[in-house]
Amino acid sequence: DAGVIQSPRHEVTEMGQEVTLRCKPISGHNSLFWYRQTMMRGLELLIYFNNNVPIDDSGMPEDRFSAKMPNASFSTLKIQPSEPRDSAVYFCASTLAVGVDISGNQPQHFGDGTRLSIL
Amino acid sequence: QQPVQSPQAVILREGEDAVINCSSSKALYSVHWYRQKHGEAPVFLMILLKGGEQKGHDKISASFNEKKQQSSLYLTASQLSYSGTYFCGTAKNYGGSQGNLIFGKGTKLSVKP
């Protein structure tokens, strides 16, 4: 079975440019998470969706970040304008939430990540 | 709210045992354990849901003491393939945004021949 698919794997761009990261969750999963990983802060949850609806975006750093999930098989994370401090590895993960639970009792499956460098 | 993992790093010889601890200042509903190899994605190891629950597969097992708000990951007779960074993720409550995972900063495990 195909896992979570992220693209691109690597992105290098100049400060001020728009960056769009893409994620295709595992088929049948109903919850999707965007994480950012840095050495300093570790693995941070940015936003998560349940049945395509954003549930909690309190981890989104600022208005420059936005995320959408137009359908069950696709999500994007956009940064506009990008800044050097946005450089990090961005992971997408999905799970099949049972009942009202979102992530507490189901394993999360991570994509290979997008390594983003803003110059 | 971020769980605290200890130690931050550990170096083992093949065949030695290790324990990684994860503690929280908040009451916990569940604890997840993941392993991440360099340059790769975190991979799920196990979830512990109940106080005092213990789980294991192969030579990796874990316990969850709900009252102490702590979990420990046990690696016995370590193999080279166990090398990587181990993360615990904790969820405070069942359901909704309270079910979100908050990850610790990780424990880097290096197994040498």
Side-chain angles (χ1 to χ4, degrees), chain A residues 1 8 17 20 31 38 45 49 58-59 64 66 70-71 79 83-84 93 96 99 101-102 106 108 110 114:
Chain A
D1 289 342
Q17 297 297 307
T20 300
S31 295
T38 61
L45 177 66
F49 296 84
S58 60
R64 298 185 296 106
S66 62
N71 56 62
I79 308 172
E83 296 182 5
L96 177 61
D101 184 55
I102 301 298
Q106 298 296 322
Q108 295 189 16
F110 284 77
T114 295

mmCIF file of all heavy atoms in Angstrom, chain A residues 1 8 17 20 31 38 45 49 58-59 64 66 70-71 79 83-84 93 96 99 101-102 106 108 110 114:
data_model
loop_
_atom_site.group_PDB
_atom_site.id
_atom_site.type_symbol
_atom_site.label_atom_id
_atom_site.label_comp_id
_atom_site.label_asym_id
_atom_site.label_seq_id
_atom_site.Cartn_x
_atom_site.Cartn_y
_atom_site.Cartn_z
ATOM 1 N N ASP A 1 0.841 -1.200 0.000
ATOM 2 C CA ASP A 1 0.000 0.000 0.000
ATOM 3 C C ASP A 1 0.876 1.251 0.000
ATOM 4 O O ASP A 1 1.914 1.280 0.656
ATOM 5 C CB ASP A 1 -0.873 0.035 1.252
ATOM 6 C CG ASP A 1 -1.965 -1.020 1.200
ATOM 7 O OD1 ASP A 1 -2.235 -1.501 0.088
ATOM 8 O OD2 ASP A 1 -2.527 -1.351 2.242
ATOM 9 N N PRO A 8 7.404 18.882 -2.829
ATOM 10 C CA PRO A 8 8.615 18.217 -3.283
ATOM 11 C C PRO A 8 9.397 17.627 -2.114
ATOM 12 O O PRO A 8 9.064 17.891 -0.953
ATOM 13 C CB PRO A 8 9.381 19.360 -3.941
ATOM 14 C CG PRO A 8 8.979 20.557 -3.145
ATOM 15 C CD PRO A 8 7.532 20.351 -2.779
ATOM 16 N N GLN A 17 9.751 34.587 -1.556
ATOM 17 C CA GLN A 17 9.019 33.785 -2.530
ATOM 18 C C GLN A 17 7.916 32.985 -1.845
ATOM 19 O O GLN A 17 7.976 32.683 -0.650
ATOM 20 C CB GLN A 17 9.965 32.825 -3.253
ATOM 21 C CG GLN A 17 11.039 33.510 -4.070
ATOM 22 C CD GLN A 17 10.443 34.336 -5.195
ATOM 23 O OE1 GLN A 17 9.646 33.840 -5.997
ATOM 24 N NE2 GLN A 17 10.808 35.603 -5.269
ATOM 25 N N THR A 20 4.882 26.284 -1.718
ATOM 26 C CA THR A 20 3.716 25.402 -1.551
ATOM 27 C C THR A 20 4.186 23.965 -1.383
ATOM 28 O O THR A 20 4.870 23.428 -2.246
ATOM 29 C CB THR A 20 2.761 25.491 -2.748
ATOM 30 O OG1 THR A 20 2.293 26.833 -2.883
ATOM 31 C CG2 THR A 20 1.559 24.576 -2.531
ATOM 32 N N SER A 31 -7.847 11.800 8.966
ATOM 33 C CA SER A 31 -7.193 12.893 9.691
ATOM 34 C C SER A 31 -5.810 13.140 9.114
ATOM 35 O O SER A 31 -5.085 12.187 8.815
ATOM 36 C CB SER A 31 -7.072 12.562 11.191
ATOM 37 O OG SER A 31 -8.339 12.481 11.783
ATOM 38 N N THR A 38 12.616 21.123 13.505
ATOM 39 C CA THR A 38 13.894 21.826 13.538
ATOM 40 C C THR A 38 14.707 21.294 14.703
ATOM 41 O O THR A 38 14.163 20.674 15.627
ATOM 42 C CB THR A 38 13.707 23.348 13.713
ATOM 43 O OG1 THR A 38 13.033 23.572 14.985
ATOM 44 C CG2 THR A 38 12.880 23.952 12.604
ATOM 45 N N LEU A 45 3.480 20.463 15.916
ATOM 46 C CA LEU A 45 2.255 20.368 15.135
ATOM 47 C C LEU A 45 1.832 21.758 14.679
ATOM 48 O O LEU A 45 1.725 22.683 15.486
ATOM 49 C CB LEU A 45 1.139 19.751 15.973
ATOM 50 C CG LEU A 45 -0.232 19.651 15.304
ATOM 51 C CD1 LEU A 45 -0.192 18.684 14.126
ATOM 52 C CD2 LEU A 45 -1.299 19.224 16.310
ATOM 53 N N PHE A 49 -6.346 18.421 10.246
ATOM 54 C CA PHE A 49 -7.663 18.342 9.626
ATOM 55 C C PHE A 49 -8.328 17.024 9.998
ATOM 56 O O PHE A 49 -7.662 15.988 10.106
ATOM 57 C CB PHE A 49 -7.545 18.381 8.094
ATOM 58 C CG PHE A 49 -6.981 19.646 7.533
ATOM 59 C CD1 PHE A 49 -5.608 19.855 7.457
ATOM 60 C CD2 PHE A 49 -7.824 20.651 7.057
ATOM 61 C CE1 PHE A 49 -5.089 21.018 6.921
ATOM 62 C CE2 PHE A 49 -7.315 21.815 6.513
ATOM 63 C CZ PHE A 49 -5.937 22.001 6.451
ATOM 64 N N SER A 58 -3.783 26.294 15.827
ATOM 65 C CA SER A 58 -3.091 27.140 16.809
ATOM 66 C C SER A 58 -1.575 27.028 16.708
ATOM 67 O O SER A 58 -0.853 27.887 17.204
ATOM 68 C CB SER A 58 -3.537 26.779 18.229
ATOM 69 O OG SER A 58 -3.253 25.431 18.514
ATOM 70 N N GLY A 59 -1.086 25.996 16.046
ATOM 71 C CA GLY A 59 0.354 25.852 15.884
ATOM 72 C C GLY A 59 0.922 26.575 14.678
ATOM 73 O O GLY A 59 2.139 26.630 14.513
ATOM 74 N N ARG A 64 1.518 34.265 7.630
ATOM 75 C CA ARG A 64 2.215 33.907 6.387
ATOM 76 C C ARG A 64 1.968 32.440 6.032
ATOM 77 O O ARG A 64 2.185 32.026 4.896
ATOM 78 C CB ARG A 64 3.712 34.155 6.525
ATOM 79 C CG ARG A 64 4.099 35.605 6.771
ATOM 80 C CD ARG A 64 5.615 35.796 6.777
ATOM 81 N NE ARG A 64 6.264 35.062 7.878
ATOM 82 C CZ ARG A 64 6.967 33.965 7.723
ATOM 83 N NH1 ARG A 64 7.134 33.436 6.513
ATOM 84 N NH2 ARG A 64 7.523 33.375 8.767
ATOM 85 N N SER A 66 -0.508 29.162 5.623
ATOM 86 C CA SER A 66 -1.903 28.766 5.434
ATOM 87 C C SER A 66 -1.932 27.323 4.946
ATOM 88 O O SER A 66 -0.992 26.858 4.309
ATOM 89 C CB SER A 66 -2.610 29.682 4.430
ATOM 90 O OG SER A 66 -1.991 29.596 3.157
ATOM 91 N N PRO A 70 -8.689 20.523 0.204
ATOM 92 C CA PRO A 70 -9.879 20.603 -0.641
ATOM 93 C C PRO A 70 -10.633 19.284 -0.788
ATOM 94 O O PRO A 70 -11.837 19.295 -1.071
ATOM 95 C CB PRO A 70 -9.316 21.066 -1.995
ATOM 96 C CG PRO A 70 -7.876 20.678 -1.961
ATOM 97 C CD PRO A 70 -7.449 20.748 -0.529
ATOM 98 N N ASN A 71 -9.928 18.166 -0.585
ATOM 99 C CA ASN A 71 -10.598 16.864 -0.636
ATOM 100 C C ASN A 71 -9.828 15.868 0.216
ATOM 101 O O ASN A 71 -8.762 16.199 0.747
ATOM 102 C CB ASN A 71 -10.735 16.375 -2.085
ATOM 103 C CG ASN A 71 -9.412 16.303 -2.800
ATOM 104 O OD1 ASN A 71 -8.530 15.545 -2.395
ATOM 105 N ND2 ASN A 71 -9.249 17.081 -3.861
ATOM 106 N N ILE A 79 3.425 28.973 2.332
ATOM 107 C CA ILE A 79 4.118 30.026 3.072
ATOM 108 C C ILE A 79 4.321 31.194 2.105
ATOM 109 O O ILE A 79 4.925 31.044 1.043
ATOM 110 C CB ILE A 79 5.499 29.555 3.599
ATOM 111 C CG1 ILE A 79 5.368 28.248 4.378
ATOM 112 C CG2 ILE A 79 6.097 30.647 4.499
ATOM 113 C CD1 ILE A 79 6.710 27.632 4.769
ATOM 114 N N GLU A 83 10.502 33.255 4.738
ATOM 115 C CA GLU A 83 11.621 33.891 5.427
ATOM 116 C C GLU A 83 12.649 32.812 5.791
ATOM 117 O O GLU A 83 12.286 31.636 5.930
ATOM 118 C CB GLU A 83 11.130 34.590 6.693
ATOM 119 C CG GLU A 83 10.169 35.740 6.434
ATOM 120 C CD GLU A 83 9.727 36.450 7.707
ATOM 121 O OE1 GLU A 83 10.248 36.113 8.800
ATOM 122 O OE2 GLU A 83 8.875 37.364 7.603
ATOM 123 N N PRO A 84 13.910 33.211 5.974
ATOM 124 C CA PRO A 84 14.951 32.213 6.305
ATOM 125 C C PRO A 84 14.600 31.377 7.533
ATOM 126 O O PRO A 84 14.945 30.193 7.599
ATOM 127 C CB PRO A 84 16.187 33.079 6.538
ATOM 128 C CG PRO A 84 15.981 34.256 5.643
ATOM 129 C CD PRO A 84 14.501 34.535 5.693
ATOM 130 N N ALA A 93 1.394 13.887 8.088
ATOM 131 C CA ALA A 93 1.061 12.569 8.637
ATOM 132 C C ALA A 93 -0.445 12.364 8.535
ATOM 133 O O ALA A 93 -1.216 13.338 8.523
ATOM 134 C CB ALA A 93 1.518 12.458 10.092
ATOM 135 N N LEU A 96 -6.302 7.141 10.747
ATOM 136 C CA LEU A 96 -7.731 6.880 10.700
ATOM 137 C C LEU A 96 -8.264 7.082 12.108
ATOM 138 O O LEU A 96 -8.040 6.248 12.991
ATOM 139 C CB LEU A 96 -8.007 5.456 10.212
ATOM 140 C CG LEU A 96 -9.480 5.045 10.200
ATOM 141 C CD1 LEU A 96 -10.280 5.950 9.259
ATOM 142 C CD2 LEU A 96 -9.621 3.587 9.776
ATOM 143 N N GLY A 99 -14.133 7.248 16.039
ATOM 144 C CA GLY A 99 -15.063 7.962 16.895
ATOM 145 C C GLY A 99 -14.699 9.430 16.969
ATOM 146 O O GLY A 99 -14.353 10.052 15.974
ATOM 147 N N ASP A 101 -12.151 10.570 18.620
ATOM 148 C CA ASP A 101 -10.727 10.746 18.858
ATOM 149 C C ASP A 101 -10.016 11.157 17.582
ATOM 150 O O ASP A 101 -10.335 10.672 16.508
ATOM 151 C CB ASP A 101 -10.109 9.454 19.378
ATOM 152 C CG ASP A 101 -8.646 9.647 19.727
ATOM 153 O OD1 ASP A 101 -8.344 10.538 20.525
ATOM 154 O OD2 ASP A 101 -7.823 8.929 19.161
ATOM 155 N N ILE A 102 -9.092 12.073 17.684
ATOM 156 C CA ILE A 102 -8.357 12.523 16.512
ATOM 157 C C ILE A 102 -7.010 11.827 16.404
ATOM 158 O O ILE A 102 -6.649 11.296 15.379
ATOM 159 C CB ILE A 102 -8.137 14.049 16.561
ATOM 160 C CG1 ILE A 102 -9.487 14.776 16.612
ATOM 161 C CG2 ILE A 102 -7.330 14.496 15.364
ATOM 162 C CD1 ILE A 102 -10.356 14.532 15.409
ATOM 163 N N GLN A 106 -4.563 6.290 17.890
ATOM 164 C CA GLN A 106 -4.268 5.691 16.596
ATOM 165 C C GLN A 106 -2.881 6.114 16.132
ATOM 166 O O GLN A 106 -2.493 7.268 16.314
ATOM 167 C CB GLN A 106 -5.300 6.133 15.542
ATOM 168 C CG GLN A 106 -6.718 5.712 15.851
ATOM 169 C CD GLN A 106 -6.873 4.212 15.862
ATOM 170 O OE1 GLN A 106 -6.261 3.511 15.049
ATOM 171 N NE2 GLN A 106 -7.667 3.701 16.779
ATOM 172 N N GLN A 108 0.115 7.444 13.894
ATOM 173 C CA GLN A 108 0.222 8.382 12.795
ATOM 174 C C GLN A 108 1.273 7.880 11.809
ATOM 175 O O GLN A 108 2.332 7.409 12.205
ATOM 176 C CB GLN A 108 0.597 9.776 13.315
ATOM 177 C CG GLN A 108 -0.504 10.370 14.190
ATOM 178 C CD GLN A 108 -0.260 11.823 14.532
ATOM 179 O OE1 GLN A 108 0.559 12.512 13.920
ATOM 180 N NE2 GLN A 108 -0.988 12.314 15.525
ATOM 181 N N PHE A 110 3.735 8.917 8.826
ATOM 182 C CA PHE A 110 4.395 10.115 8.321
ATOM 183 C C PHE A 110 4.861 9.930 6.877
ATOM 184 O O PHE A 110 5.297 8.843 6.480
ATOM 185 C CB PHE A 110 5.622 10.438 9.176
ATOM 186 C CG PHE A 110 5.290 11.051 10.509
ATOM 187 C CD1 PHE A 110 4.817 10.268 11.553
ATOM 188 C CD2 PHE A 110 5.449 12.421 10.731
ATOM 189 C CE1 PHE A 110 4.513 10.822 12.781
ATOM 190 C CE2 PHE A 110 5.149 12.983 11.963
ATOM 191 C CZ PHE A 110 4.678 12.186 12.994
ATOM 192 N N THR A 114 9.407 17.277 3.486
ATOM 193 C CA THR A 114 9.971 18.238 2.533
ATOM 194 C C THR A 114 11.026 19.041 3.273
ATOM 195 O O THR A 114 10.719 19.692 4.273
ATOM 196 C CB THR A 114 8.891 19.191 1.988
ATOM 197 O OG1 THR A 114 7.942 18.448 1.221
ATOM 198 C CG2 THR A 114 9.529 20.275 1.124
#
